[in-house]
């Protein structure tokens, strides 16, 4: 039933985008100075999870490189690469100058190596940039006149609240591209395109795609995950097409799989916070911080922990109940962290 599994992955970049043409145009116009040897403004892509920010950034850069192939690109997911060293190393890697760099290499040496890569322009996409624990990396990259930045985050106010004055003053003037939730019709069109490329013909109906889009509530990541889960489930059952019952069963399966993958990707201190909340069922911030500090050797600041919690809320891992002093946290689906192969 599945003829091309790559198309059913959330990180697949299509050759043509369905919808988001205004956003592509806005980002393309921002990066256009690169075609004439100039440095563009920093581009910010803001919006909730699953609205195509990463896909559009990567798609637009691929289109740009067709016009100027010598532009080098570095895609960095700051969820995994969250330190100054890792960010600088990944950019250096994109230039092919990372040879003989070791974990003990001083970060300032990495920066100096990047200074010497100014023979060709580099565009750096920093996805989940609000996950950076050392925002000095942004200051470093902004100082390099041959490096252009595309920064992806959920909300502008939360991102800039993490910056020190030095970084904030340099990045404040960048261009903003705002992404809103997909409408149901838009998500149906995206899913139909993925189905036409990734599945055998006529194995899923328009009404089933609409049911998937309704369940995804504007989140393409969830919608694509449900479609993939439904196709796999139908294949395991030996069916020739996806049934309504399969779609119904695939919806919670896909959500659980996405949450489990996100939990597995949490960095150490985020995972401790998540586990404390999961163990407690529901917990107040003071008790949460106290138990977190008991479990780790080198606890982060309260401000950093609040940023972690906000990020986990954006990714539907936890929810905050109540306001300020009466607030508590709880996981949205208990048991996600356990291995479940069913």
């Amino acid at each position: 039933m599945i003829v091309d599994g790559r198309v059913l992955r959330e990180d697949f970049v299509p050759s043509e985008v369905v919808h988001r043409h205004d956003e592509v145009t806005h980002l393309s116009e921002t990066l256009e100075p690169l075609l004439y040897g100039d440095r563009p403004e920093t581009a910010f892509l803001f919006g909730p999870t699953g609205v195509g920010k990463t896909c559009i950034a990567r798609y637009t850069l691929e289109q740009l490189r067709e016009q100027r192939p010598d532009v080098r690109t570095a895609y960095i997911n700051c969820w995994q690469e969250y330190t100054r060293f890792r960010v600088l190393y990944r950019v250096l890697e994109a230039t092919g100058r990372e040879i003989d760099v070791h974990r003990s290499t001083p970060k300032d040496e990495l920066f100096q190596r990047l200074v010497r890569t100014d023979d060709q322009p580099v565009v750096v996409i920093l996805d989940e940039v609000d996950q950076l624990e050392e925002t000095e990396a942004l200051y470093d990259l902004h100082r390099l006149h041959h490096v252009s930045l595309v920064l992806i985050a959920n909300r502008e106010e939360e991102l800039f609240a993490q910056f020190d004055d030095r970084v904030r003053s340099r990045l404040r003037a960048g261009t903003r591209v705002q992404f809103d939730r997909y409408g149901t019709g838009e998500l149906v069109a995206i899913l139909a395109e993925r189905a036409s490329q990734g599945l055998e013909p006529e194995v899923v109906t328009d009404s089933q795609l609409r049911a998937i889009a309704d369940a995804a509530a504007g989140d393409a990541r969830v919608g694509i995950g449900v479609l993939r889960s439904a196709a796999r489930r139908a294949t395991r059952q030996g069916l020739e097409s996806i049934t309504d019952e399969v779609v119904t069963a695939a919806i919670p399966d896909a959500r659980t799989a996405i949450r489990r993958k996100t939990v597995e990707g949490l960095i150490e201190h985020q995972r401790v916070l998540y586990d404390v909340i999961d163990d407690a069922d529901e917990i107040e911030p003071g008790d949460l911080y106290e138990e977190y500090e008991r479990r780790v050797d080198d606890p982060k600041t309260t401000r950093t922990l609040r940023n972690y919690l906000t990020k986990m809320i954006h990714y539907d891992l936890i929810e905050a109940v109540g306001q300020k002093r009466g607030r508590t946290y709880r996981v949205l689906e208990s048991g996600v962290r356990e291995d479940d192969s069913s």
Side-chain angles (χ1 to χ4, degrees):
M1 185 176 295
I2 298 176
V3 296
D4 189 349
R6 296 174 307 137
V7 177
L8 302 180
R9 290 169 54 99
E10 296 92 340
D11 59 358
F12 174 75
V13 179
S15 57
E16 294 292 334
V17 296
V18 180
H19 301 293
R20 298 301 187 218
H21 297 297
D22 290 345
E23 291 82 356
V24 169
T25 299
H26 194 178
L27 182 56
S28 297
E29 290 174 349
T30 301
L31 298 174
E32 189 175 15
L34 283 164
L35 299 178
Y36 310 108
D38 296 325
R39 186 192 195 189
E41 287 188 323
T42 297
F44 292 94
L45 278 55
F46 292 117
T49 303
V51 294
K53 302 185 298 296
T54 302
C55 178
I56 293 308
R58 302 185 80 163
Y59 171 82
T60 304
L61 261 296
E62 288 182 6
Q63 298 298 305
L64 175 76
R65 292 192 75 245
E66 288 185 6
Q67 299 179 70
R68 188 171 175 188
D70 65 323
V71 173
R72 293 164 296 187
T73 61
Y75 171 79
I76 302 172
N77 188 329
C78 300
W79 196 289
Q80 284 83 40
E81 317 288 352
Y82 49 84
T83 66
R84 183 186 176 205
F85 181 94
R86 293 188 188 186
V87 169
L88 295 181
Y89 178 81
R90 288 297 307 279
V91 179
L92 200 59
E93 191 176 42
T95 69
R97 314 283 180 87
E98 80 283 6
I99 297 173
D100 296 330
V101 172
H102 308 285
R103 290 185 179 182
S104 59
T105 302
K107 287 170 278 190
D108 288 343
E109 182 179 328
L110 264 64
F111 177 76
Q112 290 304 320
R113 286 200 186 197
L114 284 172
V115 170
R116 296 191 292 272
T117 65
D118 61 352
D119 53 321
Q120 290 176 290
V122 184
V123 180
V124 180
I125 301 173
L126 290 170
D127 204 350
E128 311 282 3
V129 66
D130 46 2
Q131 287 287 98
L132 278 180
E133 293 191 357
E134 297 177 89
T135 56
E136 188 175 355
L138 294 174
Y139 178 73
D140 289 334
L141 296 177
H142 191 270
R143 290 164 61 195
L144 299 168
H145 294 291
H146 63 294
V147 172
S148 305
L149 297 175
V150 177
L151 308 181
I152 303 176
N154 297 119
R155 296 180 181 176
E156 179 173 357
E157 59 274 19
E158 292 171 1
L159 175 62
F160 275 84
Q162 297 176 228
F163 294 161
D164 58 35
D165 291 340
R166 186 175 59 168
V167 173
R168 190 181 296 115
S169 64
R170 282 161 176 76
L171 297 181
R172 181 64 74 181
T175 299
R176 275 72 170 162
V177 183
Q178 184 65 44
F179 289 70
D180 298 320
R181 287 284 188 196
Y182 288 109
T184 299
E186 293 175 325
L187 197 44
V188 168
I190 291 170
L191 294 173
E193 184 66 22
R194 297 288 178 114
S196 70
Q197 295 183 49
L199 301 179
E200 293 178 350
E202 300 180 359
V203 297
V204 61
T205 67
D206 291 343
S207 63
Q208 288 168 344
L209 293 177
R210 180 162 291 274
I212 293 173
D214 285 338
D219 188 331
R221 183 183 57 145
V222 173
I224 294 167
V226 173
L227 180 61
R228 181 177 62 248
S229 178
R232 287 175 175 173
R233 180 177 283 265
T235 299
R236 287 198 303 269
Q237 294 179 14
L239 302 174
E240 295 184 356
S241 63
I242 295 171
T243 65
D244 292 348
E245 292 76 16
V246 164
V247 170
T248 300
I251 291 170
D253 280 358
R255 288 190 177 278
T256 297
I258 289 169
R259 287 197 177 113
R260 181 176 295 120
K261 183 178 179 181
T262 307
V263 168
E264 290 172 354
L266 293 175
I267 61 178
E268 177 190 357
H269 291 263
Q270 292 171 329
R271 181 60 187 262
V272 171
L273 282 175
Y274 180 86
D275 289 347
V276 171
I277 298 170
D278 198 13
D279 291 341
D281 292 331
E282 190 164 346
I283 190 169
E284 296 178 354
D287 295 335
L288 171 58
Y289 299 155
E290 182 179 342
E291 178 59 20
Y292 157 80
E293 290 178 351
R294 192 185 69 79
R295 295 191 186 189
V296 301
D297 295 329
D298 186 20
K300 303 291 184 181
T301 65
T302 301
R303 178 178 177 180
T304 298
L305 297 183
R306 284 199 298 265
N307 290 336
Y308 289 165
L309 291 167
T310 298
K311 195 68 178 178
M312 286 191 278
I313 290 171
H314 285 320
Y315 272 82
D316 292 329
L317 296 181
I318 65 172
E319 63 177 341
V321 182
Q323 300 293 325
K324 294 185 177 180
R325 290 189 177 182
R327 171 170 294 183
T328 59
Y329 294 100
R330 63 189 181 198
V331 298
L332 280 171
E333 185 178 354
S334 185
V336 165
R337 56 181 167 155
E338 270 81 31
D339 182 28
D340 183 0
S341 58
S342 58

